[in-house]
Amino acid sequence: MNWIVIIWSMTAAASLTLAAIHFLVWWQRRTAWAYVVFTVTCVGVAAFAGCELSMMLAESPEQFAVALRWLHIPTWVIVVSLVGFVRLHFRAGRAWLAWSVFALRSSAMLLNFLVGQNLNYREVTGLRHIQFLGETISLGVGISNPWMLVGQLSLLLFVIFTLDATITVWRRGDRPLAVVTGGSIVFFALTGMAQAVLVLWQVVDMPLTQSFFFLGIVVAMGYEMSRETLRAAKLSDDLRESETRMTLAAEAAGFGVWIWNLAGNRVWGSEQALRLFEFPLNAEVSFDEVTQRVHPDDRERVATARDRAMRSGGNYATEYRILLADGSERWIASRGRLYMSGNGKPDRMIGAVVDITDRKMAELELAQHRNELSHLSRVTTLSELSSSLAHELNQPLAIILTNAQAAQRLLAQEPPDIAETRDILADIVSEDERAGEVIRRLRALLKPGQTQRLPLSVNEIVEDVLRIARSDLIGRGVTVHTALVERPPQVLGDRIQLQQVLLNLILNACDAMTGNPPTQRHLTIATTHHNSKVRISVSDNGCGLLVEPERIFRPFYTTKQDGLGLGLPICRSIATAHQGRLWAQARSTGDVQPAAAPPTGGTTLHLELLAGAESKQ
Amino acid sequence: MSENNSTIFILDDEPGMLKALMRLLKAEGFTVQAFTSAKAFLESYSPETLSCMVLDVAMPELNGLELQEHLTRSGLLLPIVFLTGHGDIPMSVQAIKAGAVDFLTKPVKDADLLRAVRAALQRAVEQRELILEIASLRQRYNSLTPRESEVMALVVAGHLNKQIAADLGTGEHTIKVHRARVMEKMGFEALADLVRAGERLGLRSGR
């Protein structure tokens, strides 16, 4: 073993080690092509060192010539892979220059095998032995091959290409990459080239030591690659920290985070999420287990919201109850978003859950209060109508009595009039049903009830209310005009509450007309629909609004001596609870009008509701 | 009682009530005509028929009391029995003052209704008789000479023959002759009858 063998072997070994490491890195991240290119460069450098060593240890001119010929294979590999590395890793360099380097270097290799003993010597005529690093080594002597210019030109072009790419990187602002890696490649390539020119044109007596220069390049590249690896590691640290921060923030806000993996149908939940659903911590649960926790009455709604998000590829938001092991219920708000995989298929949903039980309870309590208040107002309104309603009940009773007495007489006749009596009995039955209907309607209005949301026709509401108010309207001498739109879309609402609103509007309209002479009291009720809105408009031709329109919706504003001033505010709260609107305006010529009404004066109140039977929850 | 050639008009905006009332009155043998609005009734009504009316107070457009007022203003003497779902005292007082026969509240007992209807028809008959009597009186009165009318007016006013003679500037005997002619033409024998006839013809107040 001499020093020469040791140093060149170590160079090769170092290169191979780097090659192995970066090959393994590439194996883990197949998309990182720069690593595999770097690996190829390293292998090339190792082979190059091997060839150089055999040249120095050559015992005959033939051996020297053969080793030098084979040297051009690793040279080609190194140059081409370096061009590839610069293009891949620097994301710079002119393509035409790259291709020129490739073409020239390939030509050089062809010439190497076609012209003379190798690219550098037409013929190696002999060997000279000189002392180098304290050892005796061989140097070739012979006739230089002029084609070697092609190879040296390719190296020059390579230096230019790299320099150009480095300048681009510098300008781009990545100074460390430009200085350390780009600068090293240019520097070592230039010095290596210079030495090769001097040695191979037999100007100086020394062996080729280009593997050192290549090693310099490889080390610079390796530094750059490790910098890259460090960046990735830091990124992963940052990611972990940001995750921790997010978890902390989520926990502080009471949010639980969940990820639903569609492929495996598994759900990962943050601690908070798992705690909320009372799942064991640090456990992944199946989607079905989560569904099991949802209150049976709410499962369909949750499924609908989820399917909608899946179909539209958008956001998911719903509120539902969960049933816990001890039988208690919690209200949960869940929000999420669907994420697609690379091929555009739904991949997973990520979202957050939060316990909204307290808010829901408050909402329910509020709704309860609203119910009670609206019930109170209903009772008050109906008490205004009580004498008319008594009449409404009295009428069928009177008809029944008179019919029955007529029947008694008809049966007492000789012969008794059976046919007429039969008709009478039929009428008695229908009048009795009518009375029953009045009572049923009244009971519904007087009963304190839970709010319901059912699809309703606004026209039916108008007709129902007019039936209740009929006697009162006649008694007040009010003429009613209706203009109902045909087949309006249904609205989702509470029949009783909407009847209550309309009844209030009608009675208010009547009150506004008490100053008119009896033949000039016109009440118009119109239903209209436009886009997704359905509207009931109640117009009178009375005294008009004496204050700004909004004022009448304020609590305790009243024009009646014994009024509480709560009717319209409650009506508005009912409208709002229906996601609708209630407002007043001076009656305008645009409204539906009875022909007999004066063209101006009076007020119109509009109740606008959302069309369509789709629930918001 | 001339129930056979009399008609009872019923007016109620509630068809069920109208039908029931018709049945009851028809079962009692009355001739009945039913209307659901005052307008329809006024279009078909002729005062010649011996009739009375059962009238609902609460009706859209023209209500019962307004119809009564309208009839009175038009000089139509139609006895009215009011029926109401919810009547109050001021309303009934107004109706009775305006000449209503009765003011009944629904539900109404058949006996009450029939009694009221019969009373109304009775009044219709009386009114008719009165009208006929006045018409015949008027006819006879018109046959008097101007001088005889003057004498009759003063007799009805309670003046003695002597006073009348002085008033008219003639002899007591002449007045006696005029007076006998008046009694004869008017068809009375007793002075009291002439005085009552004079009142009916409006002589006392007319002067």
Side-chain angles (χ1 to χ4, degrees), chain A residues 387 391 394-395 397-399 401-403 405-406 408-410 413 420 423-424 427 431 434 470 474, chain B residues 12-14 16-17 19-21 23-24 27-28 58-60 85-86 106-111 114:
Chain A
S387 72
H391 176 65
N394 198 33
Q395 191 80 338
L397 288 179
I399 295 172
L401 180 65
T402 306
N403 267 320
Q405 288 169 340
Q408 284 173 336
R409 275 156 214 279
L410 290 171
Q413 284 173 359
E420 184 70 15
D423 285 352
I424 287 178
D427 281 359
E431 289 301 329
R434 181 176 135 193
R470 200 190 70 102
I474 292 172
Chain B
D12 197 312
D13 64 317
E14 173 66 50
M17 193 67 218
K19 214 157 127 194
L21 288 171
R23 281 172 176 147
L24 182 66
E28 278 297 295
M59 284 188 298
H86 51 125
K106 294 181 198 172
V108 63
K109 278 191 200 135
D110 53 354
L114 291 172

Side-chain angles (χ1 to χ4, degrees), chain A residues 403 407 410-411 416-430, chain B residues 19 23:
Chain A
N403 267 320
L410 290 171
L411 290 177
D417 189 342
I418 299 297
E420 184 70 15
T421 309
R422 196 172 289 133
D423 285 352
I424 287 178
L425 287 175
D427 281 359
I428 287 178
V429 169
S430 87
Chain B
K19 214 157 127 194
R23 281 172 176 147

Side-chain angles (χ1 to χ4, degrees), chain B residues 9-78:
Chain B
F9 299 114
I10 321 174
L11 190 45
D12 197 312
D13 64 317
E14 173 66 50
M17 193 67 218
L18 210 56
K19 214 157 127 194
L21 288 171
M22 252 171 94
R23 281 172 176 147
L24 182 66
L25 293 171
K26 274 186 174 166
E28 278 297 295
F30 291 108
T31 308
V32 182
Q33 274 190 47
F35 302 91
T36 50
S37 80
K39 199 162 162 261
F41 163 72
L42 287 173
E43 274 164 12
S44 81
Y45 173 64
S46 81
E48 282 79 50
T49 333
L50 180 65
S51 55
C52 72
M53 176 172 239
V54 177
L55 180 55
D56 184 29
V57 175
M59 284 188 298
E61 294 168 32
L62 207 56
N63 73 31
L65 293 171
E66 287 161 353
L67 177 63
Q68 182 189 31
E69 201 188 316
H70 176 82
L71 290 172
T72 311
R73 263 208 314 268
S74 314
L76 299 169
L77 296 169
L78 181 64

